[in-house]
């Protein structure tokens, strides 16, 4: 394997790894009620939107400057106002995700404590976990990267084990059940879009690879397809192994583990392990990104005092939010979907439209097919995601 191919495989893993994580846990809760066929149809539609918006980001990044981050792209194309929107949306996205992760982890810690006859509330579990996470993030980027790389591969192994263990539980009548209601479909879209939230890694992939557009498109398409395949199997075993009545009652991570385990201690162990690792890897990755963003926004250095202050800025707000509003895992993911729609749909659509209107000859003249009608359609779907998050 040559160096170029190796780097492309690495970039594909970055795209896939950015998406696969805690958002996957929310899928059975929001589309499980729809029945398998409808759930897959909605998932395909949202995946196609995510891929199209990722290609728009490719177009903007290659025209503005390969490897430029969201803030710089927005500033160069849309001005200071665009940069403020990009920074604010990125910040809101990451805080919303941390609230979801702390809520989910708190529930799992409380569940684990109860299994050994200890009384612990989900809020207390979230506090203990946030202290652990804050300590790891405070230690620095190198520690997080090494720990998270190892945990990600363990998480993938746990996910595969959970999928194969749950597969024998699938029953055809469960797959054909469900209620394909339009209101349920509408409400599921923000969480689905969040689960395909690999867009923040696109500029880094472009900078890392430095290859022709054709290969960048392939990396993006393959990298986004891997989460889709994983989600497809996850939804299949989740819906197929659970009756429609139980699926309706599935509202949080604790209920997800309890329902899918179906009284089996082995299934409880593997599903709990996968859920815990998915939350942990996502939590550390988002925490690091938010730490760097806050340090940049508030111009905080790498000194002990400033790192401590940045750590507090990162962890205190989501901890307070998850404590005041427990059990809101899905709601927090939906809020994240609204912020992601701004970052990954609205801003790219506006930037692409403005760059195309300028008609300035650039070194890389890549343009996503579909023209203005496709941009308008994507923008409207973005409005649907934001509306569904708050209605």
């Amino acid at each position: 394997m040559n160096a170029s191919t190796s780097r492309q495989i690495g970039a594909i893993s970055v795209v896939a790894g950015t998406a696969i994580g805690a958002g996957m846990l929310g899928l059975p809760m929001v589309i499980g009620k729809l029945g398998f066929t409808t759930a897959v149809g909605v998932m395909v539609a949202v995946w196609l939107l995510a891929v199209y918006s990722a290609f728009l980001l490719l177009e903007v990044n290659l025209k503005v400057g390969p490897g430029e981050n969201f803030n710089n792209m927005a500033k160069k194309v849309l001005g200071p106002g665009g940069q403020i929107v990009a920074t604010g949306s990125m910040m809101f996205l990451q805080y919303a995700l941390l609230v979801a992760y702390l809520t989910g982890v708190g529930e799992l810690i409380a569940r684990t404590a109860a299994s050994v006859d200890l009384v612990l509330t989900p809020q207390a579990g979230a506090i203990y976990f946030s202290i652990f996470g804050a300590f790891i993030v405070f230690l620095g980027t190198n520690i997080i990267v090494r720990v998270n790389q190892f945990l990600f591969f363990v998480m993938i192994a746990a996910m595969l084990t959970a999928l194969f263990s749950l597969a024998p539980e699938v029953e055809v009548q469960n797959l054909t059940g469900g209620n394909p209601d339009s209101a349920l479909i509408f409400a599921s879209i923000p969480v689905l879009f969040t689960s395909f939230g690999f867009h923040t890694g696109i500029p880094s992939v472009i900078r890392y690879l430095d290859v022709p557009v054709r290969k960048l498109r392939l990396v993006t398409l393959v990298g986004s397809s891997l989460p889709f395949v994983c989600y497809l199997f996850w939804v299949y075993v989740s819906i197929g192994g659970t009756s429609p009545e139980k699926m309706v009652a599935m509202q949080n991570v604790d209920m997800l583990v309890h329902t899918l385990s179906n009284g089996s201690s082995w299934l409880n162990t593997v599903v709990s392990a996968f859920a815990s690792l998915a939350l942990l890897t996502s939590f550390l990755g988002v925490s690091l990104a938010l730490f760097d963003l806050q340090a940049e926004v508030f111009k905080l250095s790498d000194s002990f005092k400033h790192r401590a202050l940045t750590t507090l800025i990162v962890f205190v707000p989501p901890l307070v939010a998850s404590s005041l509003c427990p059990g809101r895992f899905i709601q927090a993911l939906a809020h994240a979907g609204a912020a992601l729609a701004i970052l990954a749909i609205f801003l790219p659509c506006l930037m692409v439209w403005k760059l195309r209107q300028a008609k300035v000859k650039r070194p890389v003249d890549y343009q996503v097919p579909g023209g203005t009608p496709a941009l308008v359609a994507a923008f409207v779907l973005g409005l649907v995601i934001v509306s569904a998050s708050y209605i």
Side-chain angles (χ1 to χ4, degrees):
M1 183 185 298
N2 60 41
S4 176
T5 302
S6 177
R7 290 174 75 86
Q8 287 176 54
I9 292 174
I12 287 171
S13 68
V14 168
V15 174
T18 304
I20 297 174
M24 182 175 174
L25 300 178
L27 297 182
M29 304 178 206
V30 296
I31 61 176
K33 309 176 186 72
L34 301 174
F36 183 67
T37 302
T38 305
V40 171
V42 177
M43 196 162 62
V44 169
V46 174
W47 171 67
L48 289 174
L49 174 62
V51 172
Y52 175 75
S53 62
F55 285 164
L56 291 180
L57 274 174
L58 277 179
E59 179 178 335
V60 174
N61 200 271
L62 291 171
K63 288 179 177 177
V64 172
E68 290 279 10
N69 62 31
F70 269 91
N71 288 349
N72 288 339
M73 283 192 294
K75 184 178 181 180
K76 287 183 177 181
V77 180
L78 301 175
Q83 184 182 30
I84 292 172
V85 172
T87 302
S89 300
M90 184 72 77
M91 205 175 290
F92 185 83
L93 168 66
Q94 292 168 341
Y95 273 126
L97 289 173
L98 288 184
V99 172
Y101 302 157
L102 285 174
T103 301
V105 169
E107 292 169 358
L108 288 179
I109 291 176
R111 179 183 177 82
T112 303
S115 68
V116 292
D117 297 324
L118 290 177
V119 178
L120 192 69
T121 65
Q123 292 94 323
I127 291 172
Y128 294 139
F129 181 74
S130 64
I131 292 172
F132 161 77
F135 177 71
I136 296 294
V137 171
F138 178 78
L139 291 178
T141 302
N142 290 335
I143 294 291
I144 294 179
V145 171
R146 286 200 294 268
V147 169
N148 226 31
Q149 274 185 330
F150 170 74
L151 289 176
F152 177 75
F153 287 111
V154 177
M155 188 263 293
I156 294 296
M159 179 186 69
L160 294 174
T161 303
L163 291 176
F164 281 111
S165 299
L166 289 167
E169 305 294 319
V170 173
E171 297 181 8
V172 176
Q173 61 265 34
N174 291 336
L175 294 172
T176 56
N179 175 28
D181 181 73
S182 58
L184 294 176
I185 293 173
F186 181 69
S188 71
I189 294 174
V191 176
L192 270 171
F193 192 64
T194 301
S195 69
F196 287 110
F198 54 85
H199 303 76
T200 54
I202 295 297
S204 300
V205 166
I206 294 172
R207 184 168 57 248
Y208 173 71
L209 286 179
D210 191 24
V211 295
V213 175
R214 178 178 58 82
K215 291 186 177 180
L216 288 172
R217 283 169 53 90
L218 181 63
V219 164
T220 303
L221 185 61
V222 175
S224 65
S225 299
L226 291 178
F228 176 80
V229 172
C230 292
Y231 296 168
L232 185 64
F233 281 106
W234 174 240
V235 170
Y236 170 76
V237 298
S238 299
I239 296 177
T242 309
S243 67
E245 294 76 23
K246 290 183 178 179
M247 193 62 72
V248 171
M250 195 186 294
Q251 298 294 330
N252 54 46
V253 176
D254 180 45
M255 284 296 298
L256 171 76
V257 174
H258 174 75
T259 304
L260 295 183
S261 300
N262 201 25
S264 166
S265 58
W266 165 248
L267 288 178
N268 181 72
T269 300
V270 295
V271 175
S272 294
F274 165 57
S276 300
L277 288 164
L279 288 164
L280 180 57
T281 53
S282 299
F283 179 81
L284 290 176
V286 172
S287 297
L288 176 60
L290 184 56
F291 185 96
D292 291 339
L293 177 62
Q294 296 291 27
E296 177 185 335
V297 169
F298 292 103
K299 296 181 171 52
L300 297 171
S301 70
D302 208 36
S303 67
F304 181 92
K305 180 180 177 180
H306 279 189
R307 286 192 69 83
L309 178 58
T310 308
T311 302
L312 290 175
I313 293 173
V314 168
F315 288 100
V316 171
L319 180 58
V320 171
S322 64
S323 298
L324 293 177
C325 303
R328 300 297 181 91
F329 178 73
I330 291 298
Q331 289 86 340
L333 288 179
H335 292 324
L340 184 62
I342 296 172
L343 277 173
I345 298 178
F346 295 156
L347 289 177
C349 283
L350 291 173
M351 288 189 287
V352 164
W353 182 80
K354 189 170 183 180
L355 288 169
R356 290 177 184 177
Q357 293 299 309
K359 296 182 179 173
V360 176
K361 187 167 181 60
R362 301 177 187 275
V364 180
D365 199 25
Y366 167 64
Q367 182 167 315
V368 182
T372 302
L375 289 178
V376 172
F379 199 92
V380 170
L381 290 173
L383 292 174
V384 170
I385 292 172
V386 174
S387 300
S389 301
Y390 297 102
I391 293 178

